[in-house]
Amino acid sequence: SLLTSTFTQVPTSTQVPSPTPTPTCELYDNAEKPCVLHNDIFFHQGPQSEELDAALAEAFPHWSSFRQSLEWRTEPASVGEIIKDASFDLAFDINPAVTLVTVGMLLDWQLPPDGDLYSLAHEVAKELNSLYYDYYFDRGGVQVKYPEVRNPATYAIYAFFDYDHVRLNEWCVVYSKLYKQSPLCSP
């Protein structure tokens, strides 16, 4: 994805481990197509800022003290507020829970070295939205190229992580652990 190639990763030796994967994410539906994210969840208003912050405090406590000044806010914003703001735009409206997990995985759960979480999160949400509609409208024959994918929301995550099934599973596991619910499509 565009963001993966332009963002500098933190050296592996300093990375905080992601939550330990558990075999709870059954990525494949009855037709053996991965469906890691239900379309309704992709566009759902998602959790409130406080809920995002609480989930992070439990799973990635070093994120809970991060703050960023944003020109439209009077006080420095928490990660939950940043992600919530970055997930909504005049052109798109992504579930902030989806944005947060995707950004966190992109950063290997390290805080952005430049301190600008908002810009990165906004670009991630914008790219996810674009990828969703690439599949939905079959731009460039995406549905024919990736017949193994069941829906636009799953395609967006799958394409964002360079069509990697392992990362797709990791995304599902992290989402499930952070929010205590599955993002999977129903069978």
Side-chain angles (χ1 to χ4, degrees), residues 6 21 29 45 52-53 60 92 96 100 113 141 150 170-171:
T6 60
D29 65 10
Q45 291 297 310
L52 293 170
D53 289 331
F60 300 101
F92 58 84
L100 178 58
R150 180 170 159 194
E170 181 183 353
W171 188 93

Side-chain angles (χ1 to χ4, degrees):
S1 84
L2 297 171
L3 294 171
T4 307
S5 62
T6 60
F7 189 80
T8 305
Q9 295 290 330
V10 176
T12 306
S13 61
T14 62
Q15 292 175 355
V16 174
S18 296
T20 306
T22 57
T24 57
C25 281
E26 295 293 330
L27 296 182
Y28 300 93
D29 65 10
N30 295 338
E32 295 301 314
K33 292 184 176 192
C35 196
V36 71
L37 181 58
H38 195 286
N39 289 335
D40 291 344
I41 293 173
F42 189 83
F43 289 115
H44 188 266
Q45 291 297 310
Q48 295 301 311
S49 302
E50 301 80 24
E51 294 170 283
L52 293 170
D53 289 331
L56 283 171
E58 185 178 321
F60 300 101
H62 63 290
W63 282 58
S64 61
S65 62
F66 180 84
R67 299 288 182 272
Q68 182 178 350
S69 294
L70 302 171
E71 63 186 64
W72 56 91
R73 290 189 172 267
T74 56
E75 298 288 325
S78 70
V79 173
E81 293 167 327
I82 294 163
I83 296 296
K84 192 98 170 150
D85 287 358
S87 297
F88 302 109
D89 189 286
L90 292 176
F92 58 84
D93 186 2
I94 304 293
N95 181 339
V98 171
T99 304
L100 178 58
V101 173
T102 308
V103 168
M105 286 183 57
L106 178 65
L107 292 170
D108 288 326
W109 295 101
Q110 294 296 310
L111 292 166
D114 66 358
D116 188 3
L117 181 61
Y118 174 81
S119 294
L120 178 63
H122 188 262
E123 286 302 311
V124 165
K126 184 174 156 185
E127 185 172 345
L128 289 172
N129 185 71
S130 178
L131 290 167
Y132 179 96
Y133 283 108
D134 284 350
Y135 185 94
Y136 186 82
F137 291 116
D138 199 22
R139 295 178 187 151
V142 168
Q143 292 179 26
V144 173
K145 290 178 188 172
Y146 300 97
E148 72 273 15
V149 179
R150 180 170 159 194
N151 68 347
T154 297
Y155 175 78
I157 301 298
Y158 187 51
F160 187 89
F161 288 112
D162 297 321
Y163 309 99
D164 184 335
H165 285 265
V166 172
R167 296 288 278 170
L168 194 62
N169 184 64
E170 181 183 353
W171 188 93
C172 177
V173 169
V174 172
Y175 186 101
S176 296
K177 285 189 173 208
L178 272 178
Y179 306 115
K180 313 280 190 275
Q181 64 183 6
S182 172
L184 295 171
C185 304
S186 26

